[in-house]
Amino acid sequence: LPDDIDAKARLLLFDTFGGILAGLRHPEVQKFGRALQLAFPGDVVWPGSNIRLGPAGSAALGTAAACWDEACEGHASAHGRPGLPVVPSLFALTANSDKSLADLLLALVTGYEVGTRAGQAWPIPAGLHVDGSWHSLAVAAAAARLISGPDKIQSAVDATACQIPSSLYLPVAVGSLVRNTYAPHAALLGLLASAAAQAGFDAPDGALEESRRRVLRTTQPAQVAPAGEWTIRDGYLKPFAGVRHTHYGVEAALRIRAKADFSLKNVRAITLRTYEEAARYCGNREPRTAIQAQFSLSYAIAAALVLGDLGPDAYADMGPDT
């Protein structure tokens, strides 16, 4: 890897790892992990946790933890998070192996680059949620690269492209935690497809194009980053806990708050001008739960003005009586 790509991959790795450790502190995440033990028993344990799982179960738990506070990475042109399920999956696969950090980073970048292009090629229709869809291609590519080098990547990606799942936005709208199982689903599917590739299962060429035609109902060719372009360079790490679409309004609110003459008592109304995707994705005007608030432009800006930040603690007291 070029030096700057290696550095960016390390930053992504540790940023996501921090998100995993923070997410594992939530009681709901711990309950999810214990529930996974029935189907995925094993001996892989995340730091600070006593929940033992197999690599696949550990990848699912780590992915759920990484996105719990909604502070995980992303890529704007992919309209999603290429590294979100990849990092926990690679950590889980290498927990009890002799793979080096260099091996892990190379697999991470491979998965990220495939994932970014998958997101660019697979725009999410209205009413659906991005997590758990094309991310599975990223995990498949990363796992295949880690396990057997470049030879099985194409087969793993094609196997995944035959079964890209879709995820409803509905749980976010009603405040359901089920949304936080979407990215773990992508991790499990990607690992499954990688295993199929390792087993020598043939996958048809052109599966992604066929899926786009049948599922997305489009005949237009996908517009993706050209070969040789490192999309990870443009990947972002979140300064705030909340969907990226809220960050621009939050930054504006914090700049207003920093003015010497600012006073909350003088605020009577707030008008936000933003782009259509942000309004569609984060239009939850009166959130009652943490996950609704993480997808709320209104809440994010109000919380930033009151608290002076938008971190995980901004959602700590959210509940049905908030």
Side-chain angles (χ1 to χ4, degrees):
L1 297 175
D3 288 346
D4 67 321
I5 302 302
D6 181 89
K8 186 63 178 285
R10 289 169 185 257
L11 188 58
L12 172 62
L13 187 75
F14 289 113
D15 182 79
T16 305
F17 187 57
I20 294 170
L21 297 184
L24 286 169
R25 298 182 301 175
H26 291 279
E28 299 91 343
V29 178
Q30 296 167 17
K31 290 179 181 178
F32 181 54
R34 288 190 288 270
L36 285 168
Q37 287 181 304
L38 177 63
F40 302 99
D43 58 358
V44 178
V45 183
W46 288 102
S49 172
N50 60 1
I51 300 172
R52 296 184 175 276
L53 293 161
S58 182
L61 176 60
T63 304
C67 68
W68 204 266
D69 290 319
E70 198 54 47
C72 43
E73 56 79 37
H75 197 284
S77 73
H79 299 272
R81 296 88 80 85
L84 169 58
V86 171
V87 172
S89 297
L90 293 177
F91 271 132
L93 289 174
T94 58
N96 296 324
S97 77
D98 58 357
K99 295 291 185 180
S100 68
L101 176 60
D103 295 330
L104 194 155
L105 291 171
L106 184 57
L108 168 57
V109 174
T110 301
Y112 194 98
E113 294 300 325
V114 169
T116 300
R117 289 163 174 81
Q120 292 168 340
W122 197 268
I124 302 300
L128 299 183
H129 191 286
V130 65
D131 286 355
S133 57
W134 52 261
H135 302 78
S136 50
L137 278 75
V139 176
R145 184 65 188 249
L146 179 74
I147 295 169
S148 57
D151 293 344
K152 300 293 185 180
I153 293 175
Q154 187 66 56
S155 295
V157 170
D158 287 340
T160 314
C162 291
Q163 49 191 321
I164 299 175
S166 60
S167 309
L168 291 177
Y169 182 83
L170 179 62
V172 174
V174 302
S176 170
L177 294 177
V178 167
R179 174 263 178 180
N180 288 334
T181 65
Y182 290 175
H185 183 198
L188 294 175
L189 177 55
L191 293 175
L192 175 70
S194 175
Q198 306 305 322
F201 292 7
D202 291 331
D205 294 334
L208 182 61
E209 290 77 10
E210 178 75 357
S211 292
R212 292 180 74 251
R213 185 174 70 84
R214 293 191 177 275
V215 178
L216 298 180
R217 307 289 185 181
T218 180
T219 58
Q220 298 298 317
Q223 300 296 319
V224 302
E229 178 180 313
W230 297 98
T231 64
I232 194 172
R233 283 194 175 109
D234 300 320
Y236 61 80
L237 302 179
K238 289 183 179 178
F240 307 116
V243 176
R244 171 182 65 90
H245 304 307
T246 68
H247 290 197
Y248 311 102
V250 169
E251 181 64 29
L254 293 178
R255 292 183 184 184
I256 293 172
R257 194 179 191 276
K259 294 184 177 181
D261 59 349
F262 174 79
S263 173
L264 284 173
K265 296 179 180 179
N266 296 330
V267 178
R268 294 293 177 266
I270 300 171
T271 299
L272 173 68
R273 291 182 176 87
T274 188
Y275 50 98
E276 190 272 337
E277 185 179 3
R280 184 180 73 243
Y281 221 58
C282 305
N284 298 306
R285 291 283 293 163
E286 298 180 356
R288 309 293 291 182
T289 67
I291 196 164
Q292 287 174 316
Q294 289 169 348
F295 283 75
S296 173
L297 292 163
S298 305
Y299 183 85
I301 293 171
L305 284 174
V306 172
L307 302 174
D309 193 13
L310 188 68
D313 290 344
Y315 311 101
D317 297 326
M318 296 295 293
D321 299 323
T322 302

